[in-house]
Amino acid sequence: MKLESTDVFRYTSGVPTKIIAVANQKGGVGKTTTAVNLAACAAAVGRRVLLFDLDPQANATSGLGLEKIDGQSAYRVLLGEGALLEKVQKTEFEGLEIIPSEVDLCGADFELARAEDHLRRVGRAMQPVLDAARFDLVLVDCPPSLGVLTLNAFAAADGVLVPLQCEYYALEGISMLNRVMSQLHDNGVNPRLELMGVVMTMYDGRTRLSQQVVGEVREHFGERVFETMIPRSTRLAEAPSFGKPIIHYDKYSPGAAAYELLAQEFLARLDGQSK
Ligand SMILES: Nc1ncnc2c1ncn2[C@@H]1O[C@H](COP(=O)(O)OP(=O)(O)OP(=O)(O)O)[C@@H](O)[C@H]1O
Ligand SMILES: [Mg+2]
């Protein structure tokens, strides 16, 4: 058989799409940087990845170089209008697609709170995306709160990935996050839900503080903490302003290497769970 030049071989695992929520109610800890770069690295090794921007700040959307366009977020779908698959957009990076966000998602927390079955809106909207089997992995970038949007992501997810910044109060609020996850797990909203991993971000090996925080976090979470730590790096902070993940902005930087390694560990853990 002659292959057309447009034929592309992509990895397909044959296992169901995994949904991982990237969450921490604390602001500025590296959720979006991790969601965007992990998504890009997983796509670069052949996974079919959907990045779901569920934060009204829309940082993941602009971080991948997309404009915020009225009506393109999941907002209306979550309120019952239209289909989520219609909101999926291609990015300029092969294997990586996105459901963008825009500021209208702000209203969702308030409006959904009053709606019936309000915790399952994302899960229900995701079902046709899962049925279409177009993606191996969906990463959900959550807002910095434990509001209705984050709870919806938890209710739909197979696991939660928690970025923790290497700073003094890293573990503050984590017990609340844990409690919310256990409640959703135990009361039957999502019996699959588990903490799939913790990633240390903005690590600075020269400071005792970073080392001390990592020690404490490892003591607390044990093997849930990924070996790979993300270093503090200006290049990582610059990349979003160029609308690019780090592996496409500065492929040979330490930040790119770290997210590539993290992706390897992350995917191995994800594949292990599927067995
Ligand atoms: N490893 C890093 N080194 C240097 N700067 C970083 C690193 N990771 C993230 N940043 C920067 O820190 C800021 C916060 O990161 P990011 O937006 O990923 O956090 P967040 O948890 O998603 O924030 P929010 O809670 O507002 O959604 C951004 O300006 C980002 O560019
Ligand atoms: Mg963010």
Side-chain angles (χ1 to χ4, degrees), residues 65-199:
L66 275 90
E67 300 283 331
K68 297 162 201 170
I69 305 169
D70 257 12
Q72 287 306 307
S73 79
Y75 177 60
R76 294 255 143 235
V77 180
L78 298 183
L79 294 180
E81 270 174 49
L84 203 55
L85 268 172
E86 290 163 10
K87 305 293 179 192
V88 174
Q89 291 188 29
K90 291 211 180 314
T91 68
E92 65 175 280
F93 313 104
E94 195 180 340
L96 178 53
E97 299 185 52
I98 186 169
I99 297 172
S101 163
E102 41 135 349
V103 74
D104 65 359
L105 260 185
C106 271
D109 254 322
F110 178 70
E111 296 211 33
L112 287 184
R114 297 178 307 177
E116 145 228 7
D117 211 9
H118 67 284
L119 292 182
R120 298 187 199 267
R121 294 295 174 115
V122 166
R124 256 197 271 151
M126 281 300 297
Q127 197 52 51
V129 179
L130 303 184
D131 293 342
R134 264 176 60 188
F135 301 101
D136 301 307
L137 170 64
V138 180
L139 281 170
V140 188
D141 187 27
C142 295
S145 80
L146 290 172
V148 177
L149 285 171
T150 301
L151 294 185
N152 261 271
F154 286 2
D158 296 286
V160 179
L161 171 65
V162 179
L164 287 183
Q165 190 178 346
C166 293
E167 54 135 69
Y168 193 62
Y169 294 111
L171 283 169
E172 203 184 50
I174 286 300
S175 58
M176 214 192 302
L177 185 85
N178 257 331
R179 193 170 336 140
V180 165
M181 283 178 58
S182 317
Q183 276 170 358
L184 291 172
H185 182 277
D186 298 346
N187 67 13
V189 173
N190 184 358
R192 299 188 318 280
L193 189 65
E194 59 171 63
L195 176 69
M196 81 84 63
V198 172
V199 56

Side-chain angles (χ1 to χ4, degrees), residues 29-41 59-60 62-64 163 165 199-204 228-262:
V29 297
K31 292 181 287 295
T32 302
T33 306
T34 298
V36 165
N37 288 298
L38 204 49
C41 290
N59 295 143
S62 53
L64 282 185
Q165 190 178 346
V199 56
M200 304 304 303
T201 64
M202 299 181 230
Y203 179 74
D204 183 349
T228 311
M229 297 187 282
I230 308 302
R232 186 173 278 287
S233 136
T234 324
R235 304 297 271 168
L236 273 173
E238 282 168 9
S241 62
F242 293 87
K244 289 188 165 141
I246 190 72
I247 51 165
H248 300 289
Y249 174 63
D250 190 354
K251 191 171 169 35
Y252 300 106
S253 61
Y259 273 111
E260 281 172 325
L261 280 174
L262 180 68

